[in-house]
Amino acid sequence: MNRKALITGISGQDGSYLAELLLEKGYEVHGIVRRQSSTYRPRLDAVRSRKDLPLDRLHLHYGDLGDGGGLVRLVDRIGPEEVYNLAAQSHVRVSFDTPEYTTDVTATGCIRLLDAIRDVGLRPRFYQASSSEMFGKVREVPQTENTPFYPRSPYACAKVFAYWATVNYRESYGLHASNGILFNHESPRRGETFVTRKITLAAARIKLGLQDRLALGNLDARRDWGYAKEYVDAMWRMLQQPAGDDYVVATQESHTIEECLEVAFGAVGLNWRDRVDVDPRFYRPAEVDHLIGNAEKARRILGWEPKVRFRELIELMVEADLRLIHDQRAGNPILSL
C-alpha cells in the first residue's frame, strides 16, 4: 500500500517541491489549502503540469491551522503515515505588522495540529518546519542544533514556540517528531516579497524595460542561502530515521544582500548600483545580521548535503524570472516555476 503524507502549506514554495518529491516516491499526497476567491495557485499548477507524475495521487483539502476541529476531522479522514507542517505566516518583516495573526498560525497552529494527531489516536511521523530566524541575535557562529535561540521578530518567537512544542510532544507522548531548522532557502517559486526573489525579479524586469529602480533595506545582512528543492529532500530524510530528532539544514556559507545584487544584476549585464535605492522603510525593527548554519549532523546522519551553491541558485532564479515574464507577455500558463 502506498504511504500517505499530509502537507500543510502545500501551495507554498516548500510544500509544492515536497509534493513533487513525495509523488515521485510513490506517496499518496494530501495537502491542506485555504479557501480563496481564486483557484489559481501557480506553484501547484507547476506540479500539475508534470505529466510524469501520478497526479491522481494528489488530493487537496480545504482547512486552516486556525481551525482545530477541522484539523481533527481531516487527520481522521486521511489517516496519514507522515505529516509535514510547513504552513505559517512566514514573512519576517510582515510579522511585526501582524504579530497576533503570525503567532496564532505559526505557533498555536502547530499545537492544534499536534493535538489533532493525538486526539485521533494516530502515530504518524511528524515534521515541523523550524527556522534559522530562531537564532536571531546569534550567540555563536556558525549555528548548530545546540546553539541557544535569541529570536528577533514575532515570526521567530512563534517558530521557537512551535519548535519546543514539537520536542515536548516527542518526549511526552513518544511521537516520532522532528524539527528541521532550515536556513534561508530560495527558488523560482519563492514569494515575490522575499528579498532574493524581489531582487531576481527586479533584475529581469529592469533588463526588459518593465521597471526602473529597486528599493531595499539593509544590504549588509548576511544569510546562508540554499536551494529549496534540495531542502525538502532533507525533510523527507528526517522522517525515515528510526527516531525523531532535530537537524540544522544549511549550506555552511553566508553571503550579503549586496552579493546577491551583484550576482543577479550581473547575470543580465547590469550594474546594481545604478538601479538600487536603500530605503529605511524596509529595515526591520530588530535586525538579524549574520546567519550561517553548520549542517554536519544532517550530513552525517541523513546523508544530506547541498549541491546547488549561491551563485548558481541566484542565476537560475534570474533565468526563471526572465522566462516567467516572457510567458506572461505571450499569455502562456505559468508552468515553468
Side-chain angles (χ1 to χ4, degrees), residues 20 26 138 291:
E20 282 184 314
V138 298
L291 293 177

Side-chain angles (χ1 to χ4, degrees), residues 1-7 22 26-30 59 76-84 124-125:
M1 180 181 295
N2 295 321
R3 278 186 287 179
K4 293 182 184 178
L6 173 61
I7 304 172
L22 297 180
Y27 280 68
E28 180 180 314
V29 177
H30 295 260
H59 309 279
D76 187 40
R77 186 163 78 244
I78 295 166
E81 282 88 20
E82 296 176 7
V83 176
Y84 297 85
R125 298 186 172 197

Side-chain angles (χ1 to χ4, degrees), residues 127-247:
Y127 172 84
Q128 168 60 24
S130 291
S131 169
S132 61
E133 288 287 334
M134 300 187 304
F135 295 121
K137 189 175 182 179
V138 298
R139 316 310 288 169
E140 62 181 1
V141 178
Q143 294 88 52
T144 73
E145 292 82 5
N146 297 318
T147 301
F149 299 139
Y150 196 138
R152 299 271 280 172
S153 67
Y155 167 77
C157 291
K159 282 292 188 180
V160 169
F161 178 95
Y163 171 95
W164 285 115
T166 300
V167 172
N168 183 257
Y169 273 62
R170 180 171 72 215
E171 296 178 350
S172 299
Y173 305 114
L175 185 67
H176 188 300
S178 295
N179 281 290
I181 308 174
L182 270 58
F183 280 64
N184 291 64
H185 45 290
E186 319 297 318
S187 76
R189 298 183 188 177
R190 189 60 145 150
E192 295 178 10
T193 61
F194 290 87
V195 66
T196 50
R197 183 73 195 293
K198 190 175 180 180
I199 289 170
T200 61
L201 186 59
R205 288 177 56 83
I206 291 171
K207 177 64 176 180
L208 297 174
L210 301 176
Q211 183 175 331
D212 185 47
R213 306 194 67 78
L214 170 64
L216 295 173
N218 180 16
L219 304 188
D220 296 322
R222 302 187 69 90
R223 294 291 184 271
D224 184 326
W225 278 302
Y227 187 22
K229 191 171 184 178
E230 295 181 341
Y231 280 36
V232 300
D233 177 60
M235 300 177 188
W236 175 79
R237 289 173 184 246
M238 290 178 206
L239 298 201
Q240 311 317 305
Q241 301 307 306
D245 206 343
D246 309 313
Y247 300 88

Side-chain angles (χ1 to χ4, degrees), residues 143 145 248-252 293-300 304 306:
Q143 294 88 52
E145 292 82 5
V248 163
V249 179
T251 67
Q252 305 187 164
N294 181 341
E296 170 59 24
K297 181 178 177 181
R299 186 198 65 77
R300 176 170 43 84
W304 180 91

Side-chain angles (χ1 to χ4, degrees), residues 200 203-204 263-264 267-268 313-323:
T200 61
V263 175
V268 293
L313 171 62
I314 300 304
E315 288 177 347
L316 74 83
M317 289 175 66
V318 173
E319 292 170 6
D321 279 325
L322 288 169
R323 289 197 305 271

